[in-house]
Amino acid sequence: MKVVFNEKNTDFKVCLIQNKDLSRFDDKEFFEINDYKGVGAICNLAKRTLYVGLNDELTYASFIASLGSAIKSIKSLNIKSISLEFINLGCEFYSAYAHIYAVISSLYEFNKYHKEPKNSKIELISLETQQNDDIQQGVELGKVLANACEDVKNIVNEIPSTYNQLSFEKDALKLAKEFDLECNVYSDDYLQKEGMNAFLAVNRASSYPAKLIHLAYKPQNAIKKIVYVGKGLVYDTGGLSLKPADYMLTMKADKSGAAAVLGILKAASMLKLPYEIHGIIGAAQNCISEKSYMPDDVLISREGVSIEVRNTDAEGRLVLADCLSFAQDLKPDLLIDLATLTGACVVGLSEYTSGIMGYNEDLQNEFYNNSKRSGEYTCVLHFNPHIKELIKSKIADVSNTGSSRYGGAISAGMFLGEFIRKEYKDKWLHLDIAGPAYVEKVWGENAYGASAAGVRMNIINLLRMARSAK
Ligand code: BES
Ligand code: ZN
Ligand code: ZN
């Protein structure tokens, strides 16, 4: 996508309407006949104009959703260029990002399996505003994030018979080559040697080996070391605690956390962020064979904490337990895991919102506030000692499921907390992206399928951390 400024000759014009105010447009008859009052989007084909009614409560999220969903309505037209009005949503840099991200991301569709895939022809956006450094850099951020998110969506949307643990290895090595990242890939033998029995148990029934992938981006000017850990379940059938058919569907998206980690590393490299950033991916497949791990098993994790398996469908936390252990050996200043961890998080927070958990309230609040600029919705879920009681086991140090029907997102987060060493408790965040990672009922800028949840909020959190460090 090419972005220019104030180009007069474009195929289509996109007008942004605030506070339902239509008075500045010379299109009264059209509004009247369509009974358009500035709510939602409407297209006047004769005038080659798209009117986008913005939410009264204008946020980065609502703006991206309104503009993105409006652009979807014209993306199948034979147009190559659009001119787009510009609105300052509070900060020019993030506003420019929001405009560009909304347009580019809304053009995405996972259509490779269609006989005749139709792709949008839009290749140029002209922003109607005076350009300056902030806006220019915001445009760049929008392009980079849209690009990184597209890769993530392609990985998550890829079908389970095609995308397996080895595919993650391939994609990680490709990314490492392109951006000169360090990349080490470990398989079953190494995991065994390291005592990663929780991770290994989950993958035991798979015909592919488990893969722990370690990527590192190490710029010279690094001010901090950040480690991201991603849940990479290439498929989650539930294992012997088998999911019912309806719930199994979409579980190709259980690799979303790991895919987001790849996206974060790509975006960070493209933006040359001043952080040493490590990405750890735990790639496994939770399926059934005579080798399956079983409910009633007890697993000794890499941290030495024993785990009673009460449900083989609570597998993500087992993979993460060992990956978080590996991650802490890297001595991070900030440790963040991303995972489609619980259905309970979707029930509690909706399919639009990711949960933020951890022990450090300031860190959680800072992340929550920073994530607002990204347009992704997050919500802090607090730990408490009553919920910790729920993951007690009679025969091991901890149980992999909570003993109550309630509070499943937090009990899963607190389970992970059992594998965080004392010195890293305040440096750790757990992000449960189970809701927004996969879009079944289309909303906002998103197409059906993967949304690349977690990428934008993390990159923007890093940008804002770097700014406040100055
Ligand atoms: N991958 C699922 C969580 C999930 C559910 C993600 C729905 C996205 C949408 C996870 O592995 C899982 O199955 N969790 C169980 C835990 C339970 C057995 C304690 C769940 O949430 O039901
Ligand atoms: Zn599961
Ligand atoms: Zn899972």
Side-chain angles (χ1 to χ4, degrees), residues 12-16 48-52 67 70-71 74 82-85 128:
F12 228 82
K13 186 168 164 50
V14 181
C15 299
L16 303 174
R48 295 174 164 264
T49 303
L50 174 69
Y51 298 97
V52 185
L67 177 56
I71 296 289
I74 59 164
I82 58 167
S83 43
L84 173 59
E85 290 184 342
E128 292 181 24

Side-chain angles (χ1 to χ4, degrees), residues 262-318:
L262 290 178
I264 291 167
L265 273 152
K266 181 172 190 187
S269 311
M270 289 174 86
L271 295 165
K272 301 193 166 58
L273 296 188
Y275 293 101
E276 180 174 323
I277 304 179
H278 295 254
I280 313 291
I281 286 174
Q285 195 183 41
N286 190 19
C287 49
I288 294 182
S289 84
E290 71 277 13
K291 289 198 251 164
S292 292
Y293 80 127
M294 287 166 280
D296 286 332
D297 269 337
V298 173
L299 311 168
I300 311 293
S301 67
R302 186 177 187 268
E303 283 295 296
V305 177
S306 63
I307 306 164
E308 178 188 1
V309 177
R310 293 182 69 85
N311 190 315
T312 61
D313 195 13
E315 83 301 333
R317 62 195 78 182
L318 301 175

Side-chain angles (χ1 to χ4, degrees), residues 188-228:
D188 290 348
D189 288 351
Y190 174 88
L191 303 187
Q192 229 135 34
K193 210 175 78 214
E194 286 287 306
M196 300 175 101
N197 301 308
F199 185 173
L200 280 168
V202 171
N203 195 65
R204 222 157 62 195
S206 176
S207 38
Y208 301 99
K211 293 279 176 186
L212 187 152
I213 300 160
H214 177 189
L215 283 156
Y217 158 73
K218 294 182 172 172
Q220 300 226 305
N221 57 340
I223 50 176
K224 269 185 182 168
K225 194 193 285 184
I226 324 279
V227 179
Y228 292 101

